[in-house]
Amino acid sequence: MSANLSAFFYLISGILFILALRGLSSPETSRRGNYFGIAGMAISILVTFLSVGNFGPGFIYVLIFLLIGGSVGAFIAFKIPMTAMPELVAGFHSLVGLAAVFVAISAFLNPDAFNLGTVANIKLASLIEMSLGAAIGAITFSGSIIAFLKLRGIMSGSPITFKGQHLINLVLGLTIIFLIFYLCLSQSSNIFWSIVIISFLVGVLLIIPIGGADMPVVISMLNSYSGWAAAGIGFTLENSALIITGALVGSSGAILSYIMCKGMNRSFFNVILGGWGANEQSTTLESKEQKPVKNGNADDAAFLMKNASSVIIVPGYGMAVAQAQHALREMVDALKKNGVKVSYAIHPVAGRMPGHMNVLLAEANVPYDEVFELEEINNDFANCDVAYVIGANDVTNPVAKSDPQSPIYGMPVLDVEKSKSVLFVKRSLSPGYAGIDNDLFYRDNTLMLFADAKKMTEEIVKSL
């Protein structure tokens, strides 16, 4: 296939990727967006194969590994539960970063194969591109692994900080820049390997001080990093599809990270620089669990909601864990038959990744016009008869508005406490992912429903 024809089809795939992003911006068009993305990727892969021209013995190995990787990916996609989707995304980001590192290493060790010059005589622009791709890829890989461990619960979700941490990050970052400059002058393999190793270390140090409450931002930030790593390697390989795709992923991830930070009242630069400027705050719980709480059961909840004129559902990670979205839909249908107006309130960072709750509700065929974002529905809580909170903890905590010492202080939260009655479904009084107690548990208008979210909702349906 000629270079001009390849460039044309790569451009077509780039347009399809843009349409995919456009489609994924709304639950109503998300399926169509996925189809556009699949088509764009299929075209890119096919054109890349046809552009090789010389199908030598090594081509068989490429096909074998492509088949293995595709099979593993398909198997994981079919088997993975929605609750594990955030750590799956983090894991896949790590693979993108590692792939960028491997390509950069290959290009540095064998530049002839990539038409970049010869060993110790590589083009200057190519050296800069491959070293940046390797550095960003290494940071993405190790940072994504830490995010995966935190999300999976293997590592503590609390911020891991130590004295002088930010200064060390700054020094290491400047060191990488200096080494890239020196690599362009010396083309020393030792310098190149130093860049890769230090970048792996920076990825770890950037993510460990970020707490669980900020993890949705980390997911979108690492998504951005993986895109820029791919774009850098695209320049090295002179592959326009990688450049276009990487730039789209990198820029969209950065924009999403900024939107998420704004929704959480977090500093964008604080998060991407590893919590720079964050205070070392203790998340040790006070003895609030000794406070009296009002316990209720399914009959109490059914009575309150059946006699209400309006109910607002607040879904959270607890709903995802219990897979309670279908039971929730049944409960809402039963309430509607009794003339109750029902709406869903979604916080931007509910769950473990952007759009987590929207996907779950769409899975249960919840009408899109009943689902509202925080800014659209927050004022409605004051006029709401019942707020049904199903597993959402940190995003409903009033402490975010009242306690300057709280780790989540300043984060916009849903004004659930303003409802006439609050039904809070939770297994126990344990803290949320941010590691702090929820003051909403102890409010006079809150009735705690201690049970599995799915089981409790099903019992409420029976009572209704």
Side-chain angles (χ1 to χ4, degrees):
M1 182 178 287
S2 67
N4 289 337
L5 198 57
S6 297
F8 172 75
F9 281 109
Y10 281 148
L11 180 61
I12 295 297
S13 66
I15 293 172
L16 288 171
F17 291 142
I18 293 172
L19 292 174
L21 287 174
R22 172 73 175 176
L24 292 171
S25 64
S26 168
E28 296 177 84
T29 57
S30 58
R31 289 183 184 273
R32 190 193 318 154
N34 271 312
Y35 293 143
F36 281 133
I38 292 170
M41 187 56 66
I43 291 173
S44 296
I45 293 173
L46 183 60
V47 171
T48 301
F49 278 144
L50 295 177
S51 300
V52 173
N54 181 22
F55 298 102
F59 188 72
I60 301 299
Y61 292 103
V62 174
L63 289 177
I64 291 173
F65 284 115
L66 184 66
L67 180 62
I68 293 173
S71 300
V72 171
F75 177 79
I76 292 175
F78 277 114
K79 292 294 185 180
I80 197 74
M82 269 305 301
T83 50
M85 192 62 70
E87 51 258 47
L88 175 69
V89 172
F92 280 177
H93 286 162
S94 73
L95 297 179
V96 175
L98 190 60
V101 174
F102 282 157
V103 172
I105 292 173
S106 301
F108 183 78
L109 297 179
N110 189 14
D112 291 339
F114 297 87
N115 297 318
L116 303 178
T118 59
V119 176
N121 190 28
I122 303 173
K123 299 174 187 177
L124 177 61
S126 299
L127 266 178
I128 296 173
E129 292 158 5
M130 72 175 67
S131 56
L132 284 175
I136 299 173
I139 292 171
T140 303
F141 172 73
S142 55
S144 297
I145 293 298
I146 297 299
F148 173 86
L149 296 175
K150 281 176 171 275
L151 288 165
R152 196 68 179 173
I154 299 173
M155 176 184 286
S156 172
S158 301
I160 301 173
T161 59
F162 53 86
K163 191 173 182 180
Q165 186 172 31
H166 300 310
L167 180 60
I168 291 174
N169 289 347
L170 177 63
V171 170
L172 290 177
L174 294 175
T175 300
I176 291 174
I177 295 173
F178 172 77
L179 289 177
I180 292 175
F181 174 77
Y182 190 66
L183 177 67
C184 295
L185 298 177
S186 66
Q187 302 207 14
S188 166
S189 59
N190 291 332
I191 298 298
F192 178 79
W193 288 112
S194 298
I195 292 172
V196 174
I197 293 170
I198 294 174
S199 298
F200 279 131
L201 178 60
V202 169
V204 174
L205 294 176
L206 280 178
I207 304 302
I208 58 173
I210 300 177
D214 293 328
M215 199 51 65
V217 183
V218 173
I219 294 294
S220 59
M221 180 187 70
L222 290 170
N223 178 53
S224 177
Y225 287 174
S226 67
W228 297 126
I233 294 304
F235 281 106
T236 300
L237 300 178
E238 296 182 349
N239 187 298
S240 55
L242 261 180
I243 297 171
I244 293 171
T245 307
L248 285 172
V249 173
S251 56
S252 61
I255 292 170
L256 179 59
S257 298
Y258 175 77
I259 293 173
M260 298 290 287
C261 285
K262 189 176 179 181
M264 298 170 64
N265 195 32
R266 291 287 192 265
S267 167
F268 179 67
F269 291 103
N270 280 5
V271 175
I272 65 172
L273 294 177
W276 185 283
N279 295 324
E280 296 182 10
Q281 295 165 327
S282 171
T283 57
T284 303
L285 296 178
E286 299 174 9
S287 56
K288 287 190 175 182
E289 55 271 5
Q290 297 177 1
K291 285 186 176 182
V293 295
K294 295 179 180 179
N295 294 344
N297 54 38
D299 291 333
D300 299 327
F303 177 80
L304 283 173
M305 286 193 282
K306 190 174 183 179
N307 290 282
S309 60
S310 64
V311 173
I312 297 179
I313 311 291
V314 182
Y317 188 64
M319 183 189 78
V321 172
Q323 288 291 287
Q325 62 269 28
H326 297 285
L328 186 65
R329 171 66 195 271
E330 288 183 42
M331 186 188 81
V332 170
D333 289 343
L335 289 173
K336 288 180 181 177
K337 289 179 181 178
N338 285 286
V340 181
K341 178 187 175 184
V342 183
S343 305
Y344 297 82
I346 308 294
H347 192 281
V349 294
R352 292 293 183 272
M353 63 184 291
H356 201 172
M357 295 301 106
N358 301 77
V359 173
L360 288 173
L361 294 178
E363 187 181 303
N365 295 316
V366 171
Y368 299 125
D369 58 357
E370 295 178 4
V371 181
F372 299 92
E373 300 294 331
L374 180 143
E375 297 84 0
E376 300 173 306
I377 201 170
N378 222 15
N379 291 331
D380 295 346
F381 282 104
N383 300 315
C384 169
D385 291 316
V386 178
Y388 185 74
V389 184
I390 180 166
N393 201 330
D394 297 326
V395 298
T396 63
N397 196 339
V399 168
K401 297 177 287 186
S402 60
D403 184 4
Q405 301 303 315
S406 172
I408 64 171
Y409 179 71
M411 182 180 89
V413 293
L414 293 163
D415 295 333
V416 175
E417 77 281 359
K418 295 181 179 180
S419 304
K420 293 178 182 177
S421 298
V422 178
L423 300 173
F424 208 121
V425 184
K426 208 171 182 300
R427 290 177 180 272
S428 66
L429 292 175
S430 60
Y433 205 62
I436 59 173
D437 203 16
N438 192 342
D439 191 58
L440 184 61
F441 299 160
Y442 314 103
R443 297 293 178 101
D444 292 335
N445 60 334
T446 299
L447 191 67
M448 298 298 298
L449 306 174
F450 293 113
D452 173 81
K454 182 179 179 181
K455 184 178 179 181
M456 174 57 69
T457 306
E458 288 174 342
E459 290 178 359
I460 292 174
V461 173
K462 292 177 182 177
S463 296
L464 288 171

